[in-house]
Amino acid sequence: MLQLLACGRTDKGHFRPNNEDGLLLQPPLYAVADGMGGHRAGEVASRVALEALATHFPDPALAPRSLVEAVRYANQEVYLLSSKHSEWSGMGTTLTAALWDGEALHIAHVGDSRAYLLPREAPLRQVTRDHSVIWELVASGLVPPELARLHPQRHVLTRALGITPEVEIDVHAVPLSPGDRVLLCTDGLSEVISEGELEQALRRPKDPARQVELLVRWANLRGGPDNITALLLVAEVVQR
Ligand code: MG
């Protein structure tokens, strides 16, 4: 039987006055969120989305449908709150949520936070696709990927949670084998640490808590220009 070891950490970084990121670590449900909006509304949006997800706790036996329903519910909660309170009008959040059913990790995703898979014996790959203007241009072949990291519009999202009453949700199923690692993170990490560096760091046989701590510290050493969130899952065999 496979189980997931999990550890997460969120940090304000060095530049932003408050932390608008959030994470949820309630096995078998895991998520990261990166809120946006003025007057600290981003903080509200990410918190409300994660609370809604935890309230509407998806059933792993009914994944991925149950997970999509829970994310839809989270979208409505953020949207309703922003329609009722003018100071929170237009707030939204990214949400990358993962639900473990014992064999596969189901991922539901909106925005530009990311899920990376590092298989034990294959290169790191990004499972999710960023819902940003620049990554849509990359996907259509109009902009080469190496320029995307520097593009001034890379933070402009094409999809976020809580902006409209309904939202399109990407769904992925990732079967896991012993030793595989999945990293959920916000752009405060992926903007300053390259994929090659991420892979190098995650390959080292450290325990997840230490690894997550190192990733956050590393992002801060690169200036910590944004809030930083990292949640690491490691698949391992349980002896019965
Ligand atoms: Mg961010």
Side-chain angles (χ1 to χ4, degrees):
M1 210 184 119
L2 265 189
Q3 75 167 16
L4 293 187
L5 281 179
C7 202
R9 187 176 272 248
T10 184
D11 190 274
K12 193 166 73 66
H14 289 319
F15 189 72
R16 299 286 171 95
N18 56 322
N19 193 352
E20 305 203 329
D21 279 8
L23 64 83
L24 177 72
L25 210 161
Q26 276 182 27
L29 178 63
Y30 313 89
V32 299
D34 178 351
M36 63 208 78
H39 306 284
R40 302 179 84 111
E43 213 174 313
V44 176
S46 58
R47 183 170 40 90
V48 168
L50 293 170
E51 281 171 4
L53 196 63
T55 307
H56 198 94
F57 208 93
D59 180 352
L62 301 175
R65 191 167 48 86
S66 60
L67 179 61
V68 170
E69 277 166 10
V71 172
R72 228 176 245 149
Y73 172 75
N75 179 69
Q76 282 159 4
E77 288 291 293
V78 177
Y79 178 74
L80 278 178
L81 211 59
S82 83
S83 345
K84 271 193 228 151
H85 301 268
S86 58
E87 72 272 30
W88 294 336
S89 158
M91 71 176 171
T93 183
T94 72
L95 184 64
T96 302
L99 181 66
W100 173 240
D101 73 2
E103 285 170 6
L105 192 66
H106 300 272
I107 294 172
H109 164 77
V110 179
D112 70 347
S113 296
R114 292 180 177 179
Y116 288 101
L117 169 67
L118 180 66
R120 210 165 70 116
E121 285 168 354
L124 180 93
R125 80 174 167 91
Q126 186 179 334
V127 177
T128 51
R129 210 187 49 166
D130 297 355
H131 298 138
S132 63
V133 172
I134 189 64
W135 283 99
E136 311 236 333
L137 291 173
V138 170
S140 61
L142 289 170
V143 170
E146 59 275 18
L147 289 186
R149 280 175 69 82
L150 307 167
H151 200 281
Q153 283 210 312
R154 67 191 181 278
H155 297 296
V156 182
L157 295 188
T158 50
R159 246 196 264 173
L161 206 83
I163 307 287
T164 47
E166 293 295 332
V167 68
E168 194 186 341
I169 301 159
D170 287 355
V171 183
H172 309 268
V174 185
L176 295 182
S177 307
D180 288 356
R181 289 165 180 245
V182 173
L183 177 73
L184 308 182
C185 68
T186 58
D187 63 345
L189 186 77
S190 55
E191 273 278 308
V192 292
I193 312 283
S194 73
E195 283 192 14
E197 291 172 326
L198 264 186
E199 170 154 13
Q200 239 179 16
L202 294 177
R203 270 294 168 219
R204 295 194 198 117
K206 288 199 171 65
D207 75 280
R210 181 93 184 105
Q211 237 159 5
V212 159
E213 192 192 315
L214 285 174
L215 286 177
V216 169
R217 198 188 297 163
W218 201 1
N220 270 320
L221 284 172
R222 293 265 162 92
D226 193 5
N227 306 143
I228 308 152
T229 303
L231 198 164
L232 182 64
L233 305 169
V234 181
E236 61 159 33
V237 180
V238 224
Q239 305 297 349
R240 292 230 148 178

